[in-house]
Amino acid sequence: MKILCATDFTHHSDRAAVAANAIAYRCGASLEFVHIRESVSKHFHASDEVTLALTIARGASVRLEERANSFSKEHTSPTWKLLSSENGETLASTLARHATETQVDLIVVSTHGKSGSKLWPMGSLAAAIVAASPVPVLVVHSSEPFVAWKDLGIPPLKLFVGLDLNEESGQVLQALQKFHLDRETKITAGFVQMLHSFIGDPLVIDIQTFPEDEKHLKHRIQYLVDKYLKNTTAEIKVETGFYSPAHYLVEMAKHEDADMVVVGTHQRSGMTRLLEGSVSRGVLRESMTSVLCVPLHQLERKANAMPEPKMIESLDTERSIFCATDFSERSSEAALASQALALRFGTTYEIAHVVEDYHIWPGLPKDAIHTLHAGASSRLKQFVDPLIKRGLSPQQTILDATGHESIADCLLKHLEATQPILAVISTHGKSDDSWFSIGSTARRIAHESPVPVLITRTARPFKHWIESEEKIHILGAIDTDDEAQEVLEWMKHFGDAGPCSFTLAYIDKSHSYYYVPQPLEEQAITDYVDSLTFEECKIREKAKSILGEKADITALAKHNWDGVSDGLLQVAQDAKIDMIILGTHQWHGMRRWLHRSVTTDLINRSEISLLCLPMRPQIIRHDKDISSILP
C-alpha cells in the first residue's frame, strides 16, 4: 500500500504531512512526499529562466528531503520526489497522473481554506484534486486527531460517513477498512433524504414528494454497514430536509463532533455538475474538519450478477407476482421478498398501493382525490427506486378503494381480476384487543384470496437465497392428503428455483378431543407411537415422489395436546425454519367461528413468513378410529 502526500511547504501542508505519516504508520503503508514544480514565468529573460528554474528545483529538493527525513525515525521511512507539470497540465492533473503511474492508494493534501470571494477568482486546488484523482483523497484541516489516533488510539478517531442508499456507497465503507480507519474509531453513518417540491395546479395545492420512514431508512443504511464493515459497530443518523444535502451532512458531522468526514464523489464536471450538483464539493467547501473523498466507480451490472432463473415447468411464469404496500417498514420487507421471488422464478412482479377515498370530506377541493393520487404515485416511485437498482423493475399500480370498500376488498378484487402466481403482503401483527377494534387486512386476504398468499415477516432469508445461494428452510404443514399435495407442489416450485431444505410436519391432536379419565395402557401407547412412525414413512415417500430422491427432506409426525399451531411453531423453532407453507380452508360465516383456524393462529403468533394456499372448504372428518387404543 502506498500513500502520497503533496506539499507546497506551507504550514497547512505540514499538517497534511503529519496526518499522512500517522495513517501510513497505522496501516503499514509506504509514504512519498511530492512537490510539483511549476514553469517559470515568461516575464523573465530566457537566460534567466533556466537559472531560476534550476535554483527553484534545488531548493524544493532540499526542502522535500528535510520533510522526509523528519519522519524517518518513526519507522515509516518516507521517500520524496519533485514533479514537473507537462505541457497544458494543471497541478491537479499532474498529481493524478503520478498517482496512476505509481499505483498510489491514497492522496493526502491540505487546504488553504479559501471560500467566498477568495474562492471564485482563485479556485480550490483541493477540490480540483478530488475531481481529478483516481484514488481517495484526504483533505486535512487539522493533524491533531490523527496524531492521537496513531499513538494510542485514545481518544478514538471520530468519523462521520455520509452514505447513499445504493451499493456504490459500499466503496466508501471499503476505503475505511483498507486504511484501517475502522479500528479504534467511533463511526457514525449518516444519510440525508431530500424532499423536492413540484407545482401542481396553482389553484388547488402544491404537491410534495412524501418522505420515507426514517426508521426504514436507518435499516437500509445499517444493512450497508453490516455488509461492508463486518464486526464493526456504527451509529446510524438520518435527516430529512429541503436544502443542500452537503449542508445537512456538515451540520450532522459538527453535531457529532467528528474529526473527519467521509463521503463518496462521482467526480462530476461541466454541465453534469452544474445540473446535478456535487455533494462532495459542497462538503469540502463548508466543512471545518478533515474530509476523505472516495471516488465512486460505477459498478458493472453483469448479466450473471443475479442467479439465472431455472426452468420451472410446473409454474406458469407468464403470470406475475403481486405485492401490496402501505409504505411501512413491514411492507418494505414484503417488496424485497417479492422481488427476490420474481428473480428466482423468472417472472415479472407488480407493486400496488391502495388509495382510500374516505380521506375526502366536505369542504375540500373537488380534485383533492387527484392530489392524493399524485402524492401516492410519487411516494410509490420513491419506494421502488431502491428495488430497481437491485436488478428488476416492478410494475407500479395505484388502486382505488371507493365507497365503503376496504383495503382488503380492493386488493381481493384486483387479485381476482389479474390472477397472479402469488400475492405477497405484510402484516402489522395486530391481534386480540387491537384486532377487534381495527381488523386484520392480512388475515382477511389469507382467508379469501383466490391465489396463494405469502405473509412476510422479514425478507432476509429471500435476499440471502438470491445473493449468496444460501438454502431457504421450508416447513410444510401436512393434514389431509389434498392439502399435502398442494403443499408439496409449492415446495417443488421453490426447490426447482433454488437451494432448499424441506421439513414436513404432521401434528396429530386427535387425543385432545377426548377426555381420558385414566392413563393409557402401555400397549395402547406403543400402538399410537407406531401409527405416528407409519405416518412419517408415508409422508416421506410421498414427498420423495414429488420433490425427488435427492431433495433434502425431513418428515416428522408428532402429537401435541395444545393444538396444531403450537406443534408447528415448536417444529419451526427447532429446525430454524424461514417459511411455513400450509393450506387454509377459507371457511366463512359460522364455519369460521365454529372451527379454530390454524392459519389465523399462525398469523397472530408466528414471527416466520407464512405461505397460505387456498383450499376448498370441507367438512372435518376423523379418519382414524382411536377407540381401540382407549382404555
Side-chain angles (χ1 to χ4, degrees), residues 208-225:
Q208 296 175 343
T209 303
F210 285 87
E212 220 175 323
D213 183 13
E214 290 189 358
K215 186 178 179 182
H216 173 230
L217 292 173
K218 287 183 179 180
H219 278 288
R220 292 169 65 183
I221 295 295
Q222 188 67 58
Y223 166 78
L224 285 172
V225 172

Side-chain angles (χ1 to χ4, degrees), residues 413-591:
K413 186 167 65 176
H414 184 73
L415 293 177
E416 185 68 42
T418 58
Q419 290 293 315
I421 297 175
L422 178 68
V424 183
I425 62 176
S426 60
T427 173
H428 292 285
K430 295 190 291 287
S431 61
D432 300 328
D433 295 339
S434 60
W435 179 77
F436 280 106
S437 57
I438 303 176
S440 171
T441 301
R443 194 184 308 181
R444 174 135 181 248
I445 292 173
H447 279 291
E448 300 182 23
S449 171
V451 300
V453 177
L454 174 62
I455 303 175
T456 58
R457 301 292 184 172
T458 175
R460 182 170 298 176
F462 303 100
K463 289 192 292 184
H464 290 176
W465 198 38
I466 286 289
E467 295 169 357
S468 56
E469 293 285 327
E470 290 185 15
K471 281 187 177 182
I472 186 168
H473 302 278
I474 300 175
L475 171 63
I478 304 298
D479 188 3
T480 64
D481 288 340
D482 292 338
E483 184 175 323
Q485 185 70 24
E486 292 281 342
V487 170
L488 289 170
E489 285 179 359
W490 265 96
M491 283 184 163
K492 180 171 175 55
H493 296 333
F494 278 89
D496 290 343
C500 295
S501 171
F502 303 111
T503 301
L504 292 143
Y506 168 72
I507 308 299
D508 180 31
K509 56 164 287 184
S510 55
H511 283 61
S512 304
Y513 291 114
Y514 298 88
Y515 171 68
V516 182
Q518 56 186 355
L520 295 177
E521 296 178 358
E522 184 176 346
Q523 183 60 42
I525 295 175
T526 302
D527 292 342
Y528 182 63
V529 171
D530 289 343
S531 70
L532 291 179
T533 304
F534 174 76
E535 197 72 35
E536 283 185 4
C537 295
K538 188 172 70 172
I539 293 171
R540 189 179 296 106
E541 290 303 316
K542 185 163 187 175
K544 286 184 177 180
S545 67
I546 295 177
L547 302 176
E549 291 290 334
K550 296 182 179 180
D552 183 3
I553 301 172
T554 302
L556 300 171
K558 293 187 174 184
H559 173 76
N560 192 287
W561 289 96
D562 296 324
V564 176
S565 55
D566 292 272
L568 290 175
L569 290 174
Q570 185 61 51
V571 172
Q573 181 179 354
D574 295 340
K576 298 181 179 179
I577 295 300
D578 298 316
M579 179 177 64
I580 300 175
I581 302 181
L582 74 161
T584 177
H585 298 294
Q586 297 190 328
W587 289 310
H588 297 278
M590 288 300 296
R591 184 172 289 179

Side-chain angles (χ1 to χ4, degrees), residues 337-352:
S338 65
Q339 185 183 48
L341 293 174
L343 287 166
R344 273 296 184 187
F345 291 153
T347 67
T348 58
Y349 75 114
E350 174 189 16
I351 294 183

